[in-house]
Every structure is written in C-alpha cells, then in structure tokens.
Amino acid sequence: MFVFNLVYFLVLAIPTLALSSSSGKVFRSVNACPVASSIPSFNDSKLPNPFVFNNGHAVHTREAWDCRRRQISALIQGYEAGTLPPRPPHVSAAFSKSGTAATLNVTAGLTHTNQISFAPTITYPTGDPPAGGWPLVIAYDGLSIPIPPGIATMIYSNSQMAQQNDQSSRGQGLFYELYGQNATASSMTAWVWGISRIIDALELTPAANINLGRIAVTGCSRDGKGALMAGAFEERIALTIPQESGSGGDTCWRLSKFEQDSGNVVQEAVEIVQENVWFSTNFDNFVHNISVLPYDHHFLAGMIAPRAMISFENTDFVWLSPMSSFGCMTAAHTIWQALGVPDNHGFVQVGGHAHCAFPSTLNDQLFAFINKFLLGQNTNTSDILTTNGVFGNATWQPSDWITWSAHKLV
C-alpha cells in the first residue's frame, strides 16, 4: 500500500516561510476589521491564499488572523452557507437524568412567545464525574465512530432542526419555524445554530456536569459536512471529527471539479446543489464558475484552527472525491502550521471498508486526538496526516494548486 505522508509533502511544497501580497502592503492592526459577504472582482482557478485579506494585504500576526477568520466567515455565509443568526435573546434549559441517561431540553426564542424547543439526549459514563465535568462528544444523528471510556455522548437530531430529505426540505424544520421559511441559512447553517444553542444550554446547566472546554462534534457523510461546519463556526468546540464528509465537507470545490474533469465520477458543486438543501440558494449562482469564489473549503477547515480537527476519508468511494479531500486538507494544514500548532490537525484516508463504517485499524489515530483534546492526556498527534494515494484518474500535483507560501504568525 502506498502511503503519502502529508507532513513530508509540506516540507517539499512550502520550502520557505515568507508571505507577501501582490501589493507589498502589510496589515498592521485589526482594530478595524472590515468584512464583506462577497468580492465581486475575484477570480482564481487555483486554491485561494488564506493568508491575504480581502483587500490584498498580507496576514502576519495571530491578531490579524482573527480578523481574517471573521472575513472568511462572512464570505462563506455570503456565497454558500447563508446567514448564521447570533444567539437569540431568550435561551433556557431544563435537565433530567436517570442513571446514565439524561435529556437536555433546550428552548430558544426571539421573544417569549416566538420560541422553539428540542431535547437532545446524553449518555454518561458510569461513576463520578472528573473535576471540571465529563468531556462530551456531540454526534449528528448518531454515533459512527468508537468513543473511548470516560466521555459522555450526545445525539443531536439535526434533521429535526433543519430537514434534509431533498429540495422540498428548503425552509423546513425548527430553525425555520423561528426565523421564517425564507431565511437564507442552509440546512447545515441551521444545524450549526442548533449546536450553539445546545452549548448555551449546557452553560446554563451546571447539573449536567459537562466540561465546556472539552466538547467535540462528529458526523458521517452529509452529517460529516455538518460537523465540519459546526467546528468552523462554533468556537466553543474543542475537537471536530468529520467522517467521510466528501464534497461540501473536507474537499475543495475547485479540486472536485478537477477530479470530475479528469474522469472520476465525483460529487461536485453543480450536482450537490440539485440534490439537497445543504447550501443556500445563492450558491446556485456560482457553481458553474467556481473560480469566482474568494475561498474554498481549506478556508472553512482553517476556521477551526488553532482548535483541533481530525477528518477521515474513504478512497473506496470515488463519489467522495478522494483526491480533492487530500489536496484540500493539505492546503488547510498550512493554517495550523502558521499558527504554530500543526499537531492539532490530522487527516487519514484509507479504503477497505463500507461507507461510514469505522475500521478498528484507525482507532489509534482517532483515540490519539480524543485522548489529547478531550481527556487531557499527553498523546502524540504529530504526523497523523496520511493517504493511501488511491485517486483514480486524478493526479494530485500540489504546485498546480498551492501557489502561496506561509510564515508563522506571531
């Protein structure tokens, strides 16, 4: 089996750590952070440079990256995700527990009379909680990865928050009962909003004994796309674990189109907007000309940095766009590098198993991240960035796509 180590590649692809912008200007302060939902003049067939502001100035500091992250958030919402509303004025919680099973009743509303409620369930480990409370893994729809002992789990019925049956699901679900059927938020954006309200409710519920600094989110396939979105937009999530998220997840739109053009039958942007309501209707305007997007999904994943993320992909399913996911996460990894925490990002891509079936041979990599970022153990998460290199008709040539170089942000 061919194993391509991403860390080794990055040494070759990014030999210098100097960053410059075409204008030669350097961004010095983020006291003012101008954001925009679009950049009409943008056009780049390569993967865009994450270390350049909307105005072409370079990002050199962590403070500046915080501003750049806000710009990326606004762009992704503007082009493909729709508007993510802030915390509503009214959030409350009720908690009930029997043995190791519990229910967290979450109520959120714009007014006292315009409210919605939902009730995710929690399963606790046996025994007394550790100091600070139990770590928690929130799973979209259901767990598809193994969880080591000592961690609570929550099942989040994200399809109740925003339906995802087909195009007829647009504007259907609890979120749209609150914000209206014409809200621009896609189903995945509505799911993020629900995750945030769950964490709000946990903050209001000390009796739940959840460690609010050690929360992870996971999901597989369409729910893996959603888990990645949640990790990107909700900064209280410590660890994000997308599984086989494919196109619209840890792949890049440009790379998926290249795979399709190379002869692989993958899901690309022009198809995905016809399948379901995971993206805003505005995204339909750009799927036939992806180069005008002033971002790609290496930006989306990079919003998680410096927090932790490990994603898993399956090369047996070409539809998931395997070259695109590896290339996209290769590009995203430069952001963790620039922030000085490359060990906080992992990617593992193998075959030999069914879709959303997690092979036990990957437990070591998964548990290394869970043990480190949820259980506080001193585990080694370096060099967990590999692929088997099975990309069908497509060839990954990094220099064709990554045309920038990055320096460590100070």
PDB file of all heavy atoms in Angstrom, residues 149-181:
ATOM      1  N   PRO A 149     -13.518   5.132  26.845  1.00  0.00           N
ATOM      2  CA  PRO A 149     -14.196   5.333  28.137  1.00  0.00           C
ATOM      3  C   PRO A 149     -13.932   6.720  28.706  1.00  0.00           C
ATOM      4  O   PRO A 149     -12.953   7.379  28.379  1.00  0.00           O
ATOM      5  CB  PRO A 149     -13.579   4.246  29.023  1.00  0.00           C
ATOM      6  CG  PRO A 149     -13.009   3.236  28.083  1.00  0.00           C
ATOM      7  CD  PRO A 149     -12.576   4.001  26.871  1.00  0.00           C
ATOM      8  N   GLY A 150     -14.861   7.143  29.568  1.00  0.00           N
ATOM      9  CA  GLY A 150     -14.675   8.394  30.283  1.00  0.00           C
ATOM     10  C   GLY A 150     -15.212   9.620  29.570  1.00  0.00           C
ATOM     11  O   GLY A 150     -14.905  10.757  29.968  1.00  0.00           O
ATOM     12  N   ILE A 151     -16.035   9.422  28.550  1.00  0.00           N
ATOM     13  CA  ILE A 151     -16.563  10.534  27.756  1.00  0.00           C
ATOM     14  C   ILE A 151     -18.068  10.375  27.595  1.00  0.00           C
ATOM     15  O   ILE A 151     -18.563   9.296  27.247  1.00  0.00           O
ATOM     16  CB  ILE A 151     -15.885  10.592  26.375  1.00  0.00           C
ATOM     17  CG1 ILE A 151     -14.390  10.868  26.539  1.00  0.00           C
ATOM     18  CG2 ILE A 151     -16.520  11.655  25.489  1.00  0.00           C
ATOM     19  CD1 ILE A 151     -13.606  10.772  25.253  1.00  0.00           C
ATOM     20  N   ALA A 152     -18.806  11.442  27.853  1.00  0.00           N
ATOM     21  CA  ALA A 152     -20.248  11.445  27.621  1.00  0.00           C
ATOM     22  C   ALA A 152     -20.518  11.653  26.136  1.00  0.00           C
ATOM     23  O   ALA A 152     -19.717  12.248  25.417  1.00  0.00           O
ATOM     24  CB  ALA A 152     -20.913  12.549  28.444  1.00  0.00           C
ATOM     25  N   THR A 153     -21.660  11.162  25.687  1.00  0.00           N
ATOM     26  CA  THR A 153     -22.049  11.345  24.292  1.00  0.00           C
ATOM     27  C   THR A 153     -23.455  11.929  24.217  1.00  0.00           C
ATOM     28  O   THR A 153     -24.310  11.631  25.056  1.00  0.00           O
ATOM     29  CB  THR A 153     -22.001  10.021  23.511  1.00  0.00           C
ATOM     30  OG1 THR A 153     -22.861   9.065  24.144  1.00  0.00           O
ATOM     31  CG2 THR A 153     -20.590   9.478  23.452  1.00  0.00           C
ATOM     32  N   MET A 154     -23.679  12.737  23.206  1.00  0.00           N
ATOM     33  CA  MET A 154     -24.991  13.334  22.962  1.00  0.00           C
ATOM     34  C   MET A 154     -25.395  13.066  21.528  1.00  0.00           C
ATOM     35  O   MET A 154     -24.589  13.225  20.610  1.00  0.00           O
ATOM     36  CB  MET A 154     -24.968  14.844  23.214  1.00  0.00           C
ATOM     37  CG  MET A 154     -26.252  15.570  22.788  1.00  0.00           C
ATOM     38  SD  MET A 154     -26.147  17.377  22.926  1.00  0.00           S
ATOM     39  CE  MET A 154     -26.295  17.578  24.707  1.00  0.00           C
ATOM     40  N   ILE A 155     -26.637  12.680  21.320  1.00  0.00           N
ATOM     41  CA  ILE A 155     -27.176  12.503  19.974  1.00  0.00           C
ATOM     42  C   ILE A 155     -27.994  13.753  19.625  1.00  0.00           C
ATOM     43  O   ILE A 155     -28.947  14.108  20.324  1.00  0.00           O
ATOM     44  CB  ILE A 155     -28.052  11.255  19.865  1.00  0.00           C
ATOM     45  CG1 ILE A 155     -27.256  10.025  20.309  1.00  0.00           C
ATOM     46  CG2 ILE A 155     -28.560  11.089  18.445  1.00  0.00           C
ATOM     47  CD1 ILE A 155     -25.970   9.785  19.554  1.00  0.00           C
ATOM     48  N   TYR A 156     -27.575  14.411  18.537  1.00  0.00           N
ATOM     49  CA  TYR A 156     -28.212  15.642  18.083  1.00  0.00           C
ATOM     50  C   TYR A 156     -29.043  15.326  16.847  1.00  0.00           C
ATOM     51  O   TYR A 156     -28.502  14.940  15.807  1.00  0.00           O
ATOM     52  CB  TYR A 156     -27.123  16.672  17.771  1.00  0.00           C
ATOM     53  CG  TYR A 156     -27.574  17.939  17.074  1.00  0.00           C
ATOM     54  CD1 TYR A 156     -28.727  18.616  17.456  1.00  0.00           C
ATOM     55  CD2 TYR A 156     -26.819  18.475  16.031  1.00  0.00           C
ATOM     56  CE1 TYR A 156     -29.106  19.791  16.829  1.00  0.00           C
ATOM     57  CE2 TYR A 156     -27.184  19.647  15.400  1.00  0.00           C
ATOM     58  CZ  TYR A 156     -28.332  20.299  15.800  1.00  0.00           C
ATOM     59  OH  TYR A 156     -28.718  21.476  15.165  1.00  0.00           O
ATOM     60  N   SER A 157     -30.342  15.504  16.938  1.00  0.00           N
ATOM     61  CA  SER A 157     -31.238  15.244  15.799  1.00  0.00           C
ATOM     62  C   SER A 157     -31.237  16.463  14.884  1.00  0.00           C
ATOM     63  O   SER A 157     -32.188  17.255  14.859  1.00  0.00           O
ATOM     64  CB  SER A 157     -32.646  14.917  16.300  1.00  0.00           C
ATOM     65  OG  SER A 157     -32.640  13.748  17.093  1.00  0.00           O
ATOM     66  N   ASN A 158     -30.166  16.600  14.126  1.00  0.00           N
ATOM     67  CA  ASN A 158     -30.005  17.791  13.301  1.00  0.00           C
ATOM     68  C   ASN A 158     -31.075  17.914  12.221  1.00  0.00           C
ATOM     69  O   ASN A 158     -31.452  19.027  11.833  1.00  0.00           O
ATOM     70  CB  ASN A 158     -28.615  17.825  12.659  1.00  0.00           C
ATOM     71  CG  ASN A 158     -28.251  16.548  11.943  1.00  0.00           C
ATOM     72  OD1 ASN A 158     -28.147  15.488  12.564  1.00  0.00           O
ATOM     73  ND2 ASN A 158     -28.054  16.619  10.635  1.00  0.00           N
ATOM     74  N   SER A 159     -31.603  16.783  11.744  1.00  0.00           N
ATOM     75  CA  SER A 159     -32.639  16.849  10.712  1.00  0.00           C
ATOM     76  C   SER A 159     -33.961  17.374  11.268  1.00  0.00           C
ATOM     77  O   SER A 159     -34.824  17.797  10.492  1.00  0.00           O
ATOM     78  CB  SER A 159     -32.848  15.469  10.088  1.00  0.00           C
ATOM     79  OG  SER A 159     -31.673  15.049   9.416  1.00  0.00           O
ATOM     80  N   GLN A 160     -34.124  17.337  12.573  1.00  0.00           N
ATOM     81  CA  GLN A 160     -35.277  17.985  13.195  1.00  0.00           C
ATOM     82  C   GLN A 160     -35.099  19.504  13.171  1.00  0.00           C
ATOM     83  O   GLN A 160     -36.060  20.248  12.966  1.00  0.00           O
ATOM     84  CB  GLN A 160     -35.449  17.492  14.634  1.00  0.00           C
ATOM     85  CG  GLN A 160     -36.604  18.149  15.384  1.00  0.00           C
ATOM     86  CD  GLN A 160     -36.591  17.844  16.873  1.00  0.00           C
ATOM     87  OE1 GLN A 160     -35.526  17.630  17.461  1.00  0.00           O
ATOM     88  NE2 GLN A 160     -37.750  17.846  17.502  1.00  0.00           N
ATOM     89  N   MET A 161     -33.856  19.942  13.354  1.00  0.00           N
ATOM     90  CA  MET A 161     -33.585  21.383  13.327  1.00  0.00           C
ATOM     91  C   MET A 161     -33.775  21.938  11.915  1.00  0.00           C
ATOM     92  O   MET A 161     -34.331  23.027  11.730  1.00  0.00           O
ATOM     93  CB  MET A 161     -32.150  21.637  13.806  1.00  0.00           C
ATOM     94  CG  MET A 161     -31.787  23.102  13.928  1.00  0.00           C
ATOM     95  SD  MET A 161     -32.855  24.012  15.082  1.00  0.00           S
ATOM     96  CE  MET A 161     -32.502  23.143  16.619  1.00  0.00           C
ATOM     97  N   ALA A 162     -33.297  21.209  10.903  1.00  0.00           N
ATOM     98  CA  ALA A 162     -33.483  21.606   9.507  1.00  0.00           C
ATOM     99  C   ALA A 162     -33.507  20.333   8.671  1.00  0.00           C
ATOM    100  O   ALA A 162     -32.555  19.557   8.689  1.00  0.00           O
ATOM    101  CB  ALA A 162     -32.366  22.533   9.041  1.00  0.00           C
ATOM    102  N   GLN A 163     -34.580  20.124   7.959  1.00  0.00           N
ATOM    103  CA  GLN A 163     -34.741  18.888   7.206  1.00  0.00           C
ATOM    104  C   GLN A 163     -33.746  18.814   6.051  1.00  0.00           C
ATOM    105  O   GLN A 163     -33.263  19.825   5.549  1.00  0.00           O
ATOM    106  CB  GLN A 163     -36.175  18.791   6.676  1.00  0.00           C
ATOM    107  CG  GLN A 163     -37.218  18.603   7.754  1.00  0.00           C
ATOM    108  CD  GLN A 163     -38.631  18.472   7.195  1.00  0.00           C
ATOM    109  OE1 GLN A 163     -38.816  18.219   6.000  1.00  0.00           O
ATOM    110  NE2 GLN A 163     -39.624  18.646   8.055  1.00  0.00           N
ATOM    111  N   GLN A 164     -33.464  17.576   5.620  1.00  0.00           N
ATOM    112  CA  GLN A 164     -32.509  17.347   4.533  1.00  0.00           C
ATOM    113  C   GLN A 164     -32.921  16.140   3.696  1.00  0.00           C
ATOM    114  O   GLN A 164     -32.105  15.282   3.378  1.00  0.00           O
ATOM    115  CB  GLN A 164     -31.096  17.154   5.099  1.00  0.00           C
ATOM    116  CG  GLN A 164     -30.987  16.029   6.127  1.00  0.00           C
ATOM    117  CD  GLN A 164     -29.561  15.667   6.443  1.00  0.00           C
ATOM    118  OE1 GLN A 164     -28.652  15.853   5.646  1.00  0.00           O
ATOM    119  NE2 GLN A 164     -29.351  15.116   7.637  1.00  0.00           N
ATOM    120  N   ASN A 165     -34.192  16.106   3.316  1.00  0.00           N
ATOM    121  CA  ASN A 165     -34.673  14.989   2.512  1.00  0.00           C
ATOM    122  C   ASN A 165     -34.322  15.178   1.033  1.00  0.00           C
ATOM    123  O   ASN A 165     -33.776  14.290   0.393  1.00  0.00           O
ATOM    124  CB  ASN A 165     -36.186  14.836   2.663  1.00  0.00           C
ATOM    125  CG  ASN A 165     -36.582  14.516   4.102  1.00  0.00           C
ATOM    126  OD1 ASN A 165     -35.924  13.728   4.764  1.00  0.00           O
ATOM    127  ND2 ASN A 165     -37.641  15.147   4.582  1.00  0.00           N
ATOM    128  N   ASP A 166     -34.633  16.342   0.506  1.00  0.00           N
ATOM    129  CA  ASP A 166     -34.359  16.693  -0.890  1.00  0.00           C
ATOM    130  C   ASP A 166     -34.650  18.185  -1.020  1.00  0.00           C
ATOM    131  O   ASP A 166     -34.744  18.898  -0.017  1.00  0.00           O
ATOM    132  CB  ASP A 166     -35.198  15.848  -1.854  1.00  0.00           C
ATOM    133  CG  ASP A 166     -36.681  15.836  -1.492  1.00  0.00           C
ATOM    134  OD1 ASP A 166     -37.203  16.878  -1.012  1.00  0.00           O
ATOM    135  OD2 ASP A 166     -37.339  14.798  -1.681  1.00  0.00           O
ATOM    136  N   GLN A 167     -34.846  18.661  -2.240  1.00  0.00           N
ATOM    137  CA  GLN A 167     -35.077  20.085  -2.434  1.00  0.00           C
ATOM    138  C   GLN A 167     -36.358  20.575  -1.753  1.00  0.00           C
ATOM    139  O   GLN A 167     -36.467  21.759  -1.409  1.00  0.00           O
ATOM    140  CB  GLN A 167     -35.134  20.404  -3.930  1.00  0.00           C
ATOM    141  CG  GLN A 167     -33.781  20.340  -4.634  1.00  0.00           C
ATOM    142  CD  GLN A 167     -32.877  21.501  -4.247  1.00  0.00           C
ATOM    143  OE1 GLN A 167     -33.276  22.438  -3.569  1.00  0.00           O
ATOM    144  NE2 GLN A 167     -31.618  21.421  -4.655  1.00  0.00           N
ATOM    145  N   SER A 168     -37.292  19.684  -1.530  1.00  0.00           N
ATOM    146  CA  SER A 168     -38.535  20.085  -0.865  1.00  0.00           C
ATOM    147  C   SER A 168     -38.328  20.416   0.606  1.00  0.00           C
ATOM    148  O   SER A 168     -39.238  20.949   1.259  1.00  0.00           O
ATOM    149  CB  SER A 168     -39.584  18.978  -0.998  1.00  0.00           C
ATOM    150  OG  SER A 168     -39.216  17.827  -0.249  1.00  0.00           O
ATOM    151  N   SER A 169     -37.126  20.122   1.136  1.00  0.00           N
ATOM    152  CA  SER A 169     -36.844  20.386   2.556  1.00  0.00           C
ATOM    153  C   SER A 169     -36.463  21.844   2.816  1.00  0.00           C
ATOM    154  O   SER A 169     -36.298  22.231   3.976  1.00  0.00           O
ATOM    155  CB  SER A 169     -35.713  19.481   3.045  1.00  0.00           C
ATOM    156  OG  SER A 169     -36.083  18.127   2.986  1.00  0.00           O
ATOM    157  N   ARG A 170     -36.312  22.649   1.764  1.00  0.00           N
ATOM    158  CA  ARG A 170     -35.905  24.042   1.950  1.00  0.00           C
ATOM    159  C   ARG A 170     -36.878  24.761   2.885  1.00  0.00           C
ATOM    160  O   ARG A 170     -38.088  24.774   2.674  1.00  0.00           O
ATOM    161  CB  ARG A 170     -35.849  24.751   0.605  1.00  0.00           C
ATOM    162  CG  ARG A 170     -35.415  26.217   0.652  1.00  0.00           C
ATOM    163  CD  ARG A 170     -33.925  26.360   0.855  1.00  0.00           C
ATOM    164  NE  ARG A 170     -33.161  25.806  -0.262  1.00  0.00           N
ATOM    165  CZ  ARG A 170     -31.828  25.707  -0.264  1.00  0.00           C
ATOM    166  NH1 ARG A 170     -31.130  26.098   0.812  1.00  0.00           N
ATOM    167  NH2 ARG A 170     -31.196  25.187  -1.298  1.00  0.00           N
ATOM    168  N   GLY A 171     -36.343  25.351   3.945  1.00  0.00           N
ATOM    169  CA  GLY A 171     -37.157  26.124   4.869  1.00  0.00           C
ATOM    170  C   GLY A 171     -37.997  25.299   5.817  1.00  0.00           C
ATOM    171  O   GLY A 171     -38.893  25.835   6.483  1.00  0.00           O
ATOM    172  N   GLN A 172     -37.685  23.994   5.950  1.00  0.00           N
ATOM    173  CA  GLN A 172     -38.466  23.116   6.817  1.00  0.00           C
ATOM    174  C   GLN A 172     -37.651  22.712   8.042  1.00  0.00           C
ATOM    175  O   GLN A 172     -36.491  22.338   7.925  1.00  0.00           O
ATOM    176  CB  GLN A 172     -38.891  21.861   6.051  1.00  0.00           C
ATOM    177  CG  GLN A 172     -39.698  22.136   4.795  1.00  0.00           C
ATOM    178  CD  GLN A 172     -41.003  22.841   5.080  1.00  0.00           C
ATOM    179  OE1 GLN A 172     -41.769  22.411   5.964  1.00  0.00           O
ATOM    180  NE2 GLN A 172     -41.267  23.914   4.361  1.00  0.00           N
ATOM    181  N   GLY A 173     -38.264  22.781   9.209  1.00  0.00           N
ATOM    182  CA  GLY A 173     -37.597  22.390  10.446  1.00  0.00           C
ATOM    183  C   GLY A 173     -37.750  23.462  11.515  1.00  0.00           C
ATOM    184  O   GLY A 173     -38.247  24.565  11.267  1.00  0.00           O
ATOM    185  N   LEU A 174     -37.310  23.119  12.720  1.00  0.00           N
ATOM    186  CA  LEU A 174     -37.495  24.018  13.869  1.00  0.00           C
ATOM    187  C   LEU A 174     -36.855  25.387  13.646  1.00  0.00           C
ATOM    188  O   LEU A 174     -37.427  26.416  14.024  1.00  0.00           O
ATOM    189  CB  LEU A 174     -36.899  23.376  15.122  1.00  0.00           C
ATOM    190  CG  LEU A 174     -37.638  22.161  15.691  1.00  0.00           C
ATOM    191  CD1 LEU A 174     -36.840  21.564  16.855  1.00  0.00           C
ATOM    192  CD2 LEU A 174     -39.035  22.549  16.149  1.00  0.00           C
ATOM    193  N   PHE A 175     -35.662  25.397  13.062  1.00  0.00           N
ATOM    194  CA  PHE A 175     -34.973  26.668  12.843  1.00  0.00           C
ATOM    195  C   PHE A 175     -35.846  27.622  12.048  1.00  0.00           C
ATOM    196  O   PHE A 175     -35.940  28.823  12.365  1.00  0.00           O
ATOM    197  CB  PHE A 175     -33.657  26.415  12.121  1.00  0.00           C
ATOM    198  CG  PHE A 175     -32.914  27.651  11.717  1.00  0.00           C
ATOM    199  CD1 PHE A 175     -31.995  28.241  12.582  1.00  0.00           C
ATOM    200  CD2 PHE A 175     -33.108  28.235  10.467  1.00  0.00           C
ATOM    201  CE1 PHE A 175     -31.297  29.390  12.209  1.00  0.00           C
ATOM    202  CE2 PHE A 175     -32.422  29.371  10.084  1.00  0.00           C
ATOM    203  CZ  PHE A 175     -31.517  29.956  10.965  1.00  0.00           C
ATOM    204  N   TYR A 176     -36.512  27.105  11.015  1.00  0.00           N
ATOM    205  CA  TYR A 176     -37.295  27.965  10.130  1.00  0.00           C
ATOM    206  C   TYR A 176     -38.641  28.327  10.737  1.00  0.00           C
ATOM    207  O   TYR A 176     -39.261  29.318  10.336  1.00  0.00           O
ATOM    208  CB  TYR A 176     -37.447  27.289   8.768  1.00  0.00           C
ATOM    209  CG  TYR A 176     -36.105  26.986   8.149  1.00  0.00           C
ATOM    210  CD1 TYR A 176     -35.569  25.697   8.199  1.00  0.00           C
ATOM    211  CD2 TYR A 176     -35.334  27.981   7.565  1.00  0.00           C
ATOM    212  CE1 TYR A 176     -34.323  25.409   7.666  1.00  0.00           C
ATOM    213  CE2 TYR A 176     -34.086  27.711   7.038  1.00  0.00           C
ATOM    214  CZ  TYR A 176     -33.583  26.424   7.097  1.00  0.00           C
ATOM    215  OH  TYR A 176     -32.338  26.160   6.588  1.00  0.00           O
ATOM    216  N   GLU A 177     -39.088  27.541  11.714  1.00  0.00           N
ATOM    217  CA  GLU A 177     -40.265  27.957  12.476  1.00  0.00           C
ATOM    218  C   GLU A 177     -39.967  29.240  13.249  1.00  0.00           C
ATOM    219  O   GLU A 177     -40.854  30.071  13.453  1.00  0.00           O
ATOM    220  CB  GLU A 177     -40.688  26.848  13.440  1.00  0.00           C
ATOM    221  CG  GLU A 177     -41.250  25.607  12.748  1.00  0.00           C
ATOM    222  CD  GLU A 177     -41.637  24.531  13.740  1.00  0.00           C
ATOM    223  OE1 GLU A 177     -41.777  24.854  14.951  1.00  0.00           O
ATOM    224  OE2 GLU A 177     -41.775  23.358  13.324  1.00  0.00           O
ATOM    225  N   LEU A 178     -38.714  29.398  13.641  1.00  0.00           N
ATOM    226  CA  LEU A 178     -38.313  30.583  14.407  1.00  0.00           C
ATOM    227  C   LEU A 178     -37.947  31.749  13.496  1.00  0.00           C
ATOM    228  O   LEU A 178     -38.357  32.884  13.735  1.00  0.00           O
ATOM    229  CB  LEU A 178     -37.123  30.228  15.303  1.00  0.00           C
ATOM    230  CG  LEU A 178     -36.708  31.262  16.357  1.00  0.00           C
ATOM    231  CD1 LEU A 178     -37.833  31.516  17.352  1.00  0.00           C
ATOM    232  CD2 LEU A 178     -35.461  30.784  17.088  1.00  0.00           C
ATOM    233  N   TYR A 179     -37.171  31.479  12.439  1.00  0.00           N
ATOM    234  CA  TYR A 179     -36.637  32.559  11.600  1.00  0.00           C
ATOM    235  C   TYR A 179     -37.366  32.735  10.268  1.00  0.00           C
ATOM    236  O   TYR A 179     -37.044  33.653   9.509  1.00  0.00           O
ATOM    237  CB  TYR A 179     -35.142  32.320  11.346  1.00  0.00           C
ATOM    238  CG  TYR A 179     -34.313  32.547  12.585  1.00  0.00           C
ATOM    239  CD1 TYR A 179     -33.870  31.466  13.348  1.00  0.00           C
ATOM    240  CD2 TYR A 179     -33.981  33.831  13.016  1.00  0.00           C
ATOM    241  CE1 TYR A 179     -33.118  31.670  14.503  1.00  0.00           C
ATOM    242  CE2 TYR A 179     -33.240  34.040  14.156  1.00  0.00           C
ATOM    243  CZ  TYR A 179     -32.810  32.954  14.896  1.00  0.00           C
ATOM    244  OH  TYR A 179     -32.065  33.159  16.038  1.00  0.00           O
ATOM    245  N   GLY A 180     -38.309  31.871   9.998  1.00  0.00           N
ATOM    246  CA  GLY A 180     -39.098  32.006   8.776  1.00  0.00           C
ATOM    247  C   GLY A 180     -38.574  31.139   7.648  1.00  0.00           C
ATOM    248  O   GLY A 180     -37.370  30.882   7.540  1.00  0.00           O
ATOM    249  N   GLN A 181     -39.492  30.697   6.792  1.00  0.00           N
ATOM    250  CA  GLN A 181     -39.123  29.801   5.694  1.00  0.00           C
ATOM    251  C   GLN A 181     -38.203  30.460   4.677  1.00  0.00           C
ATOM    252  O   GLN A 181     -37.518  29.772   3.918  1.00  0.00           O
ATOM    253  CB  GLN A 181     -40.384  29.295   4.989  1.00  0.00           C
ATOM    254  CG  GLN A 181     -41.191  28.306   5.814  1.00  0.00           C
ATOM    255  CD  GLN A 181     -42.325  27.699   5.020  1.00  0.00           C
ATOM    256  OE1 GLN A 181     -42.871  28.326   4.113  1.00  0.00           O
ATOM    257  NE2 GLN A 181     -42.704  26.472   5.356  1.00  0.00           N
TER     258      GLN A 181
END
